[in-house]
Amino acid sequence: ADPIAAQWTQEARLLLAERALAAGDPQAPVDVALPGRLSVSQLVTLRRDPATLARLLRRPMPARPDPEARRGTAFHRWLERRYAGDRLFDFDDWPEAAAAGGASGTGADPAPDADRATAGAVGGDETLADLQRRFEASEWADRIPLDVEVPFSTVVDGVVLRGRMDAVFAAEPTSSGAPCFEVVDWKTGAVPVGAAARAARVQLAAYRLAFAKLRGVSPDRVRGAFYYVHAGVTVRPDAEVAMVAESLARGTTGA
């Protein structure tokens, strides 16, 4: 054997061992304080797996290129253009918008692409055109939204939550005639099941809470729904607004 090559191999092993020791066990518990600002996608991760969020906060890593996420982003942009001339109101024109406290509909950072990504792939051969055709055949194709791509920044228990609601529609009014609303999030991935489905509910809970503050109404008058384009299914899970504070209370310390 070549003694020089053997020496290099040994030195490489020592360097790798030293790096692993410095990095620590990637599965070991991590103590990270909950930051003062979270995106809704981070809130969902906190609900599903606090340890994963803690590691991402401690050592942020760039996301891998994801064709499914890019396709989802393209679909959302297409829908925004499709609805551009159809929306019934611009949020800034709503009478209650200026008076609503606790949330801001302007100045909020757009939701990152991670908020557009959906759980599960739907097949690598599905194109944007396929998603468009599926949507045009759906129950939502002929409905006109009150507004689309509504940004928000709202404070819950001292934490600023930021996000962007895909679309808001009028819902059936209360028995007294008070208007109600439905916030819909378009999903281009597979319908989640189990723990992923349970964790996803907090996204709609955050949207219900934020929109209620923006509109100046009770959260009871705001519903939430996911529409899974590939499956052609609308899901309206139980998404109580209390889930938001419960999730934040978990924090990430000791995760």
Side-chain angles (χ1 to χ4, degrees), residues 87-92 94 145-150 166-168:
R87 69 183 71 180
L88 295 180
F89 301 101
D90 187 314
F91 180 80
D92 291 335
W94 291 5
L146 297 173
D147 207 353
V148 297
E149 296 296 321
V150 181
D166 287 345
V168 181

Side-chain angles (χ1 to χ4, degrees), residues 82-246:
R82 181 185 185 276
Y83 282 135
D86 290 339
R87 69 183 71 180
L88 295 180
F89 301 101
D90 187 314
F91 180 80
D92 291 335
D93 295 333
W94 291 5
E96 295 90 339
S104 171
T106 59
D109 294 343
D113 284 350
D115 284 339
R116 302 299 194 198
T118 52
V122 297
D125 59 346
E126 182 160 46
T127 66
L128 175 60
D130 293 328
L131 293 173
Q132 291 169 340
R133 283 193 293 270
R134 290 177 185 274
F135 183 84
E136 295 294 1
S138 76
E139 63 182 290
W140 298 98
D142 295 328
R143 295 190 59 181
I144 299 176
L146 297 173
D147 207 353
V148 297
E149 296 296 321
V150 181
F152 68 86
S153 177
T154 190
V155 179
V156 180
D157 290 348
V159 177
V160 179
L161 287 179
R162 297 175 299 146
R164 186 180 293 270
M165 293 171 269
D166 287 345
V168 181
F169 294 86
E172 185 176 350
T174 65
S175 57
S176 63
C180 293
F181 311 90
E182 185 163 42
V183 178
V184 181
D185 193 73
W186 314 119
K187 297 293 190 185
T188 55
V191 181
V193 296
R198 291 191 295 272
R201 296 181 302 164
V202 77
Q203 179 182 359
L204 292 182
Y207 288 175
R208 290 184 60 220
L209 181 62
F211 188 78
K213 290 183 178 182
L214 286 170
R215 193 70 162 92
V217 301
S218 167
D220 292 338
R221 288 168 53 189
V222 184
R223 299 192 305 180
F226 293 125
Y227 179 66
Y228 293 90
V229 183
H230 177 76
V233 174
T234 299
V235 178
R236 294 181 174 91
D238 180 16
E240 295 297 327
V241 296
M243 293 177 63
V244 178
E246 290 171 2

